[in-house]
Amino acid sequence: AQSVAQPEDQVNVAEGNPLTVKCTYSVSGNPYLFWYVQYPNRGLQFLLKYITGDNLVKGSYGFEAEFNKSQTSFHLKKPSALVSDSALYFCAVREGNFNKFYFGSGTKLNVKP
Amino acid sequence: NAGVTQTPKFRVLKTGQSMTLLCAQDMNHEYMYWYRQDPGMGLRLIHYSVGEGTTAKGEVPDGYNVSRLKKQNFLLGLESAAPSQTSVYFCASSSMGLAGGNGQYFGPGTRLTVL
């Protein structure tokens, strides 16, 4: 069965510092992995995805994620955090054949000035 | 291009009342989904549809019904609302194909309270 784990409910980081939001996954077959961001009272917005190819994928707003097959991880990163990055972040895995998505429980990112 | 829209944005129901949530997308996507979002639990799939006229159960389908009579619309119905159905409901759509496009496109959500 497909599943996604986000081990941290909350991540706190100072503005200008690098940030990492962790995600591990369990899938049968090739993983299709996604990161979404949710701002208060809004729907989820796509940030980036990994389908195949280079393990480091770049996405919107300066975010990137590193796919690590041996550790079954897909951590979200940004070299220098902004206060405006404060939001709820979701990792998701897509079940290839049926286009179903499984979401992690979300990680709240707090970036302090 | 409005993307994914949801109606209504807010609703308060009494236990036992019924209602229908409407989702519409203008991207010609084959797949549509209904999720509920509860604190600390992420998004849980209620029902989904892989095309016009087809629907399937997700993780938490009990107490909900859906219909996809037109490709662009996906309706979520609560026949007899219960307080446990108090939640924020999100509709999403996605395109076919293994590449998956940009994953799913989400609506702005419907905040439902059942008293």
Side-chain angles (χ1 to χ4, degrees):
Chain A
Q2 276 61 231
S3 66
V4 175
Q6 293 181 242
E8 302 155 316
D9 291 335
Q10 186 167 300
V11 169
N12 298 312
V13 64
E15 189 173 31
N17 283 0
L19 69 87
T20 299
V21 182
K22 296 179 180 178
C23 172
T24 58
Y25 64 89
S26 174
V27 297
S28 53
N30 293 324
Y32 300 113
L33 298 159
F34 299 81
W35 274 103
Y36 292 85
V37 59
Q38 184 181 31
Y39 298 101
N41 301 314
R42 302 288 296 276
L44 279 68
Q45 298 176 31
F46 170 83
L47 271 181
L48 51 79
K49 67 178 180 181
Y50 172 84
I51 303 297
T52 187
D54 195 349
N55 289 345
L56 185 66
V57 294
K58 295 187 183 296
S60 306
Y61 313 120
F63 283 92
E64 56 190 28
E66 186 170 11
F67 170 67
N68 187 317
K69 188 173 183 178
S70 63
Q71 296 185 1
T72 62
S73 67
F74 189 56
H75 300 332
L76 181 69
K77 301 180 179 183
K78 187 172 183 181
S80 178
L82 299 172
V83 172
S84 57
D85 293 330
S86 298
L88 190 57
Y89 290 81
F90 289 94
C91 183
V93 62
R94 178 188 163 192
E95 186 179 48
N97 289 340
F98 300 102
N99 222 22
K100 289 172 66 177
F101 293 77
Y102 297 87
F103 287 82
S105 55
T107 299
K108 185 177 181 182
L109 175 65
N110 296 315
V111 181
K112 298 182 179 179
Chain B
N1 190 338
V4 180
T5 58
Q6 292 182 233
T7 309
K9 288 187 170 57
F10 304 94
R11 186 71 185 269
V12 178
L13 291 178
K14 294 181 179 178
T15 297
Q17 287 186 316
S18 64
M19 77 164 294
T20 300
L21 282 67
L22 171 63
C23 175
Q25 54 96 2
D26 60 2
M27 296 172 283
N28 202 34
H29 284 166
E30 290 293 332
Y31 296 89
M32 297 188 74
Y33 314 78
W34 275 108
Y35 293 92
R36 59 178 289 173
Q37 184 180 28
D38 302 293
M41 302 189 73
L43 274 74
R44 292 184 291 170
L45 183 64
I46 305 171
H47 286 280
Y48 65 101
S49 169
V50 300
E52 181 179 323
T54 70
T55 63
K57 294 180 179 179
E59 296 174 75
V60 289
D62 294 342
Y64 305 95
N65 57 76
V66 289
S67 64
R68 183 108 180 259
L69 299 179
K70 294 183 179 180
K71 186 177 182 178
Q72 63 268 35
N73 295 338
F74 195 30
L75 278 62
L76 177 71
L78 285 74
E79 292 184 347
S80 179
S84 60
Q85 294 177 304
T86 293
S87 188
V88 181
Y89 292 85
F90 286 100
C91 178
S93 69
S94 68
S95 60
M96 294 178 64
L98 289 178
N102 285 346
Q104 297 177 310
Y105 293 79
F106 284 83
T110 295
R111 188 173 295 274
L112 174 66
T113 301
V114 183
L115 302 176

